[in-house]
Amino acid sequence: WSYVDEQGNEKVFNEERVYCADPSFLAMFPFPFVYGDAENALSDISGVVIAESVSKKFFGRENPIGKTLVLDGRRNFTVTGVFKDIPENSHIKFDILVSYFFHERFTSDFSAEGYWKWAEYYTYVRLTPGTDPLTVESRFDDFVERHMGDYMRRMNFVEHFHLQPLTDIHLRSPEMTKEREVHSSERTIYFLLIVAILILVIAWINYVNLSTSKSVERAREVGVRKVAGASRRLLILQFLSESSFVNLLATGLAFVLVVMSLPYFNQLAGKNMGTSVLELTLVKEPLFWAGLAGVFLFGPFAAGLYPAFVLSSFRIAAVLKGKFSGSRSGIALRKTLVGSQFIISVALIAGTIMVFRQVSFMRDHELGYARDEILVVKSLRVGDSTTSVRMQTFRTELDRNASIHSVAPSSEVPGRQPSQSNFIRNYDDGREDQFLCFWFFVDAGFFPTYDIAIAAGQNFDEDETVNNYDGSIPIPIMLNEKATRLLGFEHTEGAVNKLIHFGFGGSDYIGKIVGIARDHHQRSLRGDYDPIIFFSRAGFFGQYLGINMNMGNASETIAFIEDRYEEAFPGNQFEYFFLDDYFDRQYAADQQFGKVFGLFSGLALFVAGLGLFGLSTFMISQRIKEIAVRKVLGATISSLVALFSRDFVRLVVIANLVALPVVYFLVDRWLDAFAFRIDIGWIMFVVPAVVLLIISLATVSVQTIRTGSANPVKSLRTE
């Protein structure tokens, strides 16, 4: 897109988020407008609506209504509206809207019949309040039959339309393809929510353990209060009030910490949740406040109720005589609670390890092409009748550079789902055996440039192009191994020179298989290999220009490419990316999930460690005289460490025996979502046990060594 101001100065920007939209789109979704009238903004064939940020790039702070933007140096559009930038939590984000009438005018090669099977538009339907979506959906079959019935029978396929709630698109529809924005997963959200709840559970367990452990110190206080006339009910209310105050203080501090860490968490999670309290998305949701209130109210009840009953049940005579000591049932409860903490910790450690291993596996796995050596230049925006000649000159100039190995244009590059697809089937089979196959338009240099091996047959000829064929003779095509298997060929060699039928638009053509390419991972390793059909188009730029180059002096080579590009294609902005970075974007959500999960797991271990440290400190403080006696009788520090660590080691072993089978089942289920996955292996069973054992032994050892190193005379002086 370009704009020339009154002084003749030109501004040119490439805009990626551009959509054609029906005028009713702005009526259905009331996006706030800065300038212009939303109701009529897209009614004109030459009208264009732009985001506020786009307006500032081209026009500064001026009102741009009525000004002219030029698309690809050829099409003039009049700015009819400016809307506020689409928020980050929108399921669809755009910067420019062009009138649907423009697309309809300049795509006359598509028949009205063909439009019905062309699934490139997102169609929104607003139902009348109270309408059952299933009732509407049940009438779609008659609707499709009325408009597409003859075409479906002629091409021997059946089409079904379905309704999808708008609020389900982002989180609840991971299987849907061709969504413009990256999906997230409701399962991931709930998974992290469960981890957060487990952290709270660990904290509550710490409170119960430390409160009941310190009951001996508060026994005399309870006795005095009872002598002074305090009832058990009053004592229970007192201890619950203390618990409530601690929870209230923790809630306030937590909220402050959340606000302070928002910028860092946004960066970690890859989500813009705001950078202040007013911008924080969650505070605008009633469910957030309800959840926060629920946690606050449940916390004192869950963590404070048992200690309150224990402390209020002391007998006056016993505690005032100093004869009170912890009961066996209380000690057993504390061990059970510590064991529960260990179980949660084992599960989180094992889960963190497996998440990071799977993400690392996907990033480092062999993909079937040379992703680390490819620089990709984006397609031309402005061209003319001489573009093809200048393209050849540009490629010749690049070939002369010793750092550039080869150059190849293509309609797609690995790293996303291809935008075009149609059905293919065996030449001799009926249409029942047809399947969807993605299209690649390439030239003969594509396979050597991307280092995609030819499994059988041969590559395209240099001058071969699909544009030279009118359908009277078979069109030379190439398939990948996945498509060959779906066609029913047991061996790739057996598919060479065979004929297939493939759809192109609304027509059916015959193709001749000249070669079979090795499978490569077009998309994330979450899914299987995609079936791909390759068409040869010689002498075109394509959507992308792949450049296989020496990365040792990348900056110099890129500068050279940019200079030659600007010479060959004036008026076009030079844009490029590295293919490995582009492909790895697919794993951004998995990496962010791993980081957040690892952070939560680390926090849980830290909280559990604090509780273990406090509990071990108190337990050893209650046995100071015992330690002194044992030292007098000849016990060594190492024997004391072994003695006091024994119970914790036993709990660690039990926790691993309980947690790891459950974690194995859950991790195996999670890995089933990936077509290419790691083996669970022994690491998941050994590392959590070792880590937890080290933390436990270190915590107990520090306290034991410090106490055991003291002079036993001081500990026994009062006896």
Side-chain angles (χ1 to χ4, degrees):
W1 293 83
S2 61
Y3 167 67
V4 180
D5 62 20
E6 296 176 355
Q7 288 73 37
N9 300 315
E10 184 179 28
K11 294 182 180 179
V12 180
F13 296 99
N14 283 347
E15 299 294 338
E16 298 287 342
R17 305 196 304 188
V18 181
Y19 286 84
C20 282
D22 188 276
S24 61
F25 177 77
L26 294 176
M28 179 175 289
F29 299 103
F31 295 103
F33 265 54
V34 180
Y35 300 109
D37 176 20
E39 185 176 349
N40 302 310
L42 294 177
S43 299
D44 190 343
I45 188 173
S46 61
V48 62
V49 179
I50 60 177
E52 189 173 16
S53 58
V54 175
S55 176
K56 289 179 180 178
K57 283 198 298 186
F58 283 103
F59 309 106
R61 298 187 177 278
E62 297 180 27
N63 182 344
I65 299 298
K67 296 184 181 295
T68 300
L69 283 175
V70 182
L71 172 63
D72 294 344
R74 294 176 295 174
R75 310 284 187 193
N76 291 345
F77 288 88
T78 302
V79 178
T80 54
V82 178
F83 56 87
K84 287 189 174 296
D85 290 347
I86 305 300
E88 285 297 318
N89 60 341
S90 173
H91 94 281
I92 185 171
K93 304 178 183 70
F94 51 87
D95 294 322
I96 296 179
L97 291 179
V98 177
S99 175
Y100 168 79
F101 298 130
F102 166 80
H103 188 271
E104 190 177 46
R105 169 76 62 85
F106 293 101
T107 52
S108 56
D109 53 318
F110 282 90
S111 64
E113 181 181 56
Y115 271 111
W116 280 100
K117 68 177 292 296
W118 193 45
E120 296 302 316
Y121 277 91
Y122 302 102
T123 304
Y124 298 92
V125 180
R126 176 183 288 167
L127 301 181
T128 304
T131 302
D132 182 6
L134 294 178
T135 301
V136 177
E137 198 172 76
S138 66
R139 299 175 182 174
F140 278 157
D141 286 344
D142 293 337
F143 180 76
V144 173
E145 171 63 28
R146 188 161 62 250
H147 292 280
M148 294 180 63
D150 293 340
Y151 180 78
M152 289 191 298
R153 280 185 287 275
R154 187 167 71 250
M155 301 301 295
N156 195 24
F157 75 96
V158 177
E159 188 73 74
H160 296 285
F161 289 174
H162 301 280
L163 290 176
Q164 178 189 30
L166 186 67
T167 52
D168 287 355
I169 292 175
H170 183 61
L171 291 178
R172 302 186 182 96
S173 303
E175 75 287 350
M176 299 296 287
T177 60
K178 288 202 171 183
E179 288 295 346
R180 180 67 176 179
E181 305 298 330
V182 177
H183 285 294
S184 189
S185 169
E186 189 177 39
R187 180 184 297 180
T188 299
I189 302 300
Y190 284 130
F191 200 70
L192 292 175
L193 179 62
I194 290 172
V195 175
I197 292 173
L198 291 177
I199 294 174
L200 278 175
V201 170
I202 291 175
W204 289 334
I205 288 175
N206 285 345
Y207 186 86
V208 172
N209 269 337
L210 295 176
S211 296
T212 54
S213 296
K214 294 180 72 66
S215 59
V216 176
E217 296 181 3
R218 304 197 66 178
R220 294 184 185 277
E221 175 194 343
V222 172
V224 171
R225 287 183 181 276
K226 282 191 171 183
V227 169
S231 64
R232 186 178 185 186
R233 178 184 177 186
L234 187 62
L235 289 170
I236 290 174
L237 288 176
Q238 174 199 339
F239 294 124
L240 285 177
S241 298
E242 291 178 5
S243 176
S244 299
F245 177 76
V246 171
N247 273 268
L248 179 62
L249 183 62
T251 302
L253 288 174
F255 197 81
V256 172
L257 287 174
V258 166
V259 174
M260 291 175 60
S261 61
L262 264 179
Y264 308 102
F265 186 79
N266 289 340
Q267 185 177 2
L268 177 70
K271 303 290 182 183
N272 184 11
M273 301 174 63
T275 56
S276 66
V277 177
L278 296 178
E279 294 178 357
L280 186 58
T281 307
L282 290 177
V283 301
K284 303 172 185 176
E285 297 291 334
L287 189 62
F288 166 77
W289 293 106
L292 187 63
V295 169
F296 170 70
L297 294 174
F298 183 74
F301 178 82
L305 194 61
Y306 177 76
F309 273 96
V310 170
L311 291 169
S312 63
S313 64
F314 296 158
R315 290 183 296 115
I316 300 175
V319 297
L320 292 181
K321 290 178 181 179
K323 297 181 178 180
F324 173 79
S325 61
S327 65
R328 290 188 176 182
S329 60
I331 295 173
L333 175 65
R334 285 195 291 275
K335 288 184 177 180
T336 302
L337 293 176
V338 171
S340 300
Q341 282 187 326
F342 285 167
I343 290 172
I344 295 172
S345 299
V346 167
L348 293 177
I349 294 171
T352 302
I353 291 171
M354 299 312 292
V355 168
F356 278 101
R357 282 189 62 206
Q358 176 62 23
V359 173
S360 178
F361 168 79
M362 291 191 297
R363 292 193 63 187
D364 299 335
H365 187 71
E366 174 59 43
L367 299 176
Y369 63 92
R371 69 170 179 176
D372 296 330
E373 303 165 9
I374 305 295
L375 177 82
V376 180
V377 177
K378 292 186 178 181
S379 67
L380 303 175
R381 302 295 182 179
V382 181
D384 54 31
S385 59
T386 65
T387 297
S388 179
V389 175
R390 286 188 280 120
M391 176 63 189
Q392 188 57 48
T393 303
F394 174 63
R395 293 183 62 175
T396 301
E397 288 292 318
L398 297 189
D399 288 336
R400 291 175 179 172
N401 190 309
S403 296
I404 296 175
H405 305 142
S406 59
V407 179
S410 60
S411 61
E412 303 286 350
V413 292
R416 67 168 192 163
Q417 177 178 285
S419 59
Q420 299 186 71
S421 61
N422 213 317
F423 288 96
I424 70 172
R425 68 181 187 280
N426 243 317
Y427 183 75
D428 298 323
D429 291 343
R431 297 180 189 274
E432 294 78 6
D433 297 323
Q434 65 185 7
F435 61 89
L436 197 65
C437 194
F438 294 111
W439 298 354
F440 261 62
F441 289 99
V442 300
D443 72 2
F446 175 81
F447 299 101
T449 297
Y450 286 83
D451 198 18
I452 297 176
I454 305 297
Q458 63 184 26
N459 194 359
F460 291 116
D461 292 334
E462 289 288 342
D463 57 349
E464 208 159 35
T465 174
V466 69
N467 296 340
N468 293 339
Y469 294 87
D470 57 6
S472 59
I473 59 175
I475 298 174
I477 56 102
M478 292 182 66
L479 301 175
N480 68 343
E481 292 174 305
K482 175 68 174 181
T484 307
R485 290 192 294 271
L486 291 176
L487 284 171
F489 294 104
E490 294 184 7
H491 305 287
T492 54
E493 292 81 2
V496 178
N497 294 324
K498 291 294 193 297
L499 301 180
I500 67 166
H501 281 282
F502 65 88
F504 199 102
S507 303
D508 212 24
Y509 293 87
I510 299 176
K512 180 181 179 181
I513 304 173
V514 298
I516 308 297
R518 292 284 185 196
D519 284 331
H520 72 271
H521 289 282
Q522 177 64 24
R523 291 184 284 171
S524 161
L525 272 70
R526 280 184 172 273
D528 199 356
Y529 293 114
D530 289 310
I532 299 175
I533 181 172
F534 298 94
F535 300 98
S536 176
R537 290 187 64 182
F540 83 120
F541 193 107
Q543 292 295 106
Y544 307 96
L545 186 69
I547 303 174
N548 190 313
M549 55 181 274
N550 182 358
M551 292 296 174
N553 55 345
S555 58
E556 295 178 9
T557 307
I558 293 173
F560 169 81
I561 296 171
E562 183 175 6
D563 289 341
R564 298 301 179 269
Y565 182 93
E566 292 175 349
E567 289 176 6
F569 311 112
N572 287 276
Q573 186 174 355
F574 179 73
E575 290 186 295
Y576 69 92
F577 57 84
F578 292 102
L579 189 59
D580 55 346
D581 294 337
Y582 184 76
F583 189 88
D584 286 345
R585 288 192 312 177
Q586 299 174 107
Y587 301 127
D590 294 309
Q591 288 177 284
Q592 288 156 0
F593 168 70
K595 291 178 181 178
V596 175
F597 185 76
L599 174 65
F600 281 16
S601 299
L603 182 60
L605 286 174
F606 177 72
V607 174
L610 286 178
L612 183 62
F613 183 82
L615 184 61
S616 61
T617 300
F618 180 80
M619 291 175 62
I620 291 174
S621 69
Q622 297 296 304
R623 302 177 69 175
I624 290 178
K625 290 183 173 59
E626 177 189 344
I627 293 173
V629 171
R630 288 181 179 276
K631 283 197 66 178
V632 170
L633 296 177
T636 62
I637 296 295
S638 59
S639 65
L640 291 174
V641 170
L643 173 67
F644 290 109
S645 301
R646 185 172 54 197
D647 287 342
F648 289 101
V649 171
R650 187 183 298 117
L651 289 175
V652 169
V653 172
I654 294 173
N656 279 274
L657 292 175
V658 173
L660 288 178
V662 177
V663 174
Y664 180 91
F665 173 77
L666 295 176
V667 167
D668 191 58
R669 289 285 302 274
W670 177 69
L671 289 174
D672 281 342
F674 299 88
F676 298 84
R677 47 168 284 183
I678 58 171
D679 294 324
I680 292 179
W682 57 269
I683 292 179
M684 193 194 79
F685 298 96
V686 175
V687 174
V690 172
V691 170
L692 197 58
L693 196 61
I694 290 173
I695 293 174
S696 302
L697 290 178
T699 304
V700 176
S701 297
V702 168
Q703 299 301 320
T704 306
I705 292 171
R706 188 176 64 179
T707 305
S709 300
N711 189 343
V713 175
K714 294 182 180 179
S715 303
L716 298 174
R717 183 176 296 166
T718 57
E719 293 298 324

